Amino acid sequence: MTMEQLRQKEMAELEHERELALMEQEMMERLKAEELLLQQQQLALQLELEMQEKERQRIQELQRAQEQLDKEMRMNMENLVKSEDTLHSEEATLDSGKTLAEISDRYGAPNLSRVEELDEPMFS
């Protein structure tokens, strides 16, 4: 009878140890799954940060290109204004002092003398 009790007690202990081993194995599997999930989250975060950095660099490059275009447009506009001013000043120097008859090649162009214009008071 005592042998039988010892055997049953030993079987119960073995069953208890087996249950503990199963629980420990399940715990290890959960820890591995959590670790894998954490690694995946870290990788996703790293990829997201890299994509944000690339996007930031692309935006900076676009801004630099836009600034360069703006600068070139301003320079072109300034050159255009300067060339127009030069053209107008050349025309003014060519035309100054000449009458319409001197400028025109047409027959019958009026030969009028130059008259200096005075500022007239403006009425509102």
Side-chain angles (χ1 to χ4, degrees):
M1 182 91 167
T2 58
M3 268 310 229
E4 184 66 26
Q5 287 176 347
L6 281 174
R7 200 165 135 200
Q8 285 179 357
K9 187 177 179 183
E10 203 173 288
M11 289 293 277
E13 287 177 8
L14 286 174
E15 182 66 26
H16 180 69
E17 286 180 15
R18 189 174 70 79
E19 288 175 4
L20 287 176
L22 282 174
M23 287 175 34
E24 187 176 332
Q25 184 179 3
E26 288 174 3
M27 180 69 83
M28 292 299 285
E29 288 174 0
R30 274 190 253 138
L31 286 174
K32 284 182 182 179
E34 287 178 10
E35 184 178 346
L36 181 63
L37 180 63
L38 182 61
Q39 288 175 351
Q40 289 174 346
Q41 289 173 346
Q42 287 176 341
L43 181 62
L45 180 62
Q46 184 178 0
L47 289 174
E48 178 68 25
L49 290 174
E50 288 175 6
M51 287 180 63
Q52 287 177 356
E53 179 64 23
K54 286 180 183 179
E55 181 68 16
R56 186 185 62 79
Q57 289 175 353
R58 187 182 70 79
I59 289 172
Q60 285 179 343
E61 289 174 8
L62 286 173
Q63 286 175 342
R64 280 190 225 116
Q66 183 65 38
E67 289 171 0
Q68 183 68 25
L69 283 174
D70 290 345
K71 184 178 178 181
E72 289 175 7
M73 284 182 63
R74 280 194 303 274
M75 289 175 58
N76 288 341
M77 291 298 288
E78 289 172 2
N79 290 340
L80 183 63
V81 168
K82 287 179 184 177
S83 64
E84 286 179 356
D85 288 346
T86 305
L87 182 63
H88 289 303
S89 65
E90 288 175 0
E91 287 177 0
T93 56
L94 289 175
D95 293 342
S96 65
K98 293 184 180 180
T99 63
L100 185 57
E102 292 171 335
I103 296 172
S104 176
D105 294 348
R106 292 188 176 179
Y107 175 76
N111 190 5
L112 302 173
S113 61
R114 296 185 69 61
V115 177
E116 191 173 321
E117 293 184 23
L118 300 174
D119 288 338
E120 296 180 11
M122 296 179 68
F123 298 106
S124 59

